[in-house]
Amino acid sequence: QKTLRRLMKKNKATYESVGRILKVSPATIKRRLNGDDISIRQLKEFAGALSVSFYELIEISKDISREPHLFTI
């Protein structure tokens, strides 16, 4: 879900705009992004709404997980 949020921010997409494309309410979009799990079908739908392929979404997710993390004490 972190990847989807980043893509939404990058594309300046809102819950409302993605919801309109997917024909669901903004609350449904928020629920899907805040939930513990999301189906592959929903990931494909989100990817399409954000103008990327499912495979691009996976690659972006891999890149994000490789980003360095800063830990402080």
Side-chain angles (χ1 to χ4, degrees):
Q1 285 106 335
K2 183 194 308 188
T3 303
L4 293 172
R5 289 182 191 284
R6 285 196 179 185
L7 274 175
M8 284 179 67
K9 188 173 185 176
K10 179 181 174 189
N11 293 347
K12 297 183 172 107
T14 63
Y15 297 128
E16 291 79 11
S17 64
V18 174
R20 223 177 316 150
I21 292 167
L22 299 180
K23 296 181 172 83
V24 297
S25 71
T28 298
I29 299 301
K30 287 180 189 179
R31 235 182 333 246
R32 289 178 183 176
L33 290 174
N34 292 325
D36 290 334
D37 59 346
I38 188 167
S39 72
I40 291 176
R41 179 185 57 80
Q42 290 171 338
L43 285 173
K44 288 179 179 179
E45 289 173 352
F46 266 106
L50 297 171
S51 301
V52 296
S53 73
F54 178 71
Y55 299 103
E56 288 172 308
L57 183 65
I58 299 302
E59 289 302 314
I60 293 166
S61 179
K62 286 180 190 177
D63 290 342
I64 288 173
S65 67
R66 289 186 199 128
E67 289 180 359
H69 300 279
L70 177 65
F71 295 97
T72 60
I73 299 177

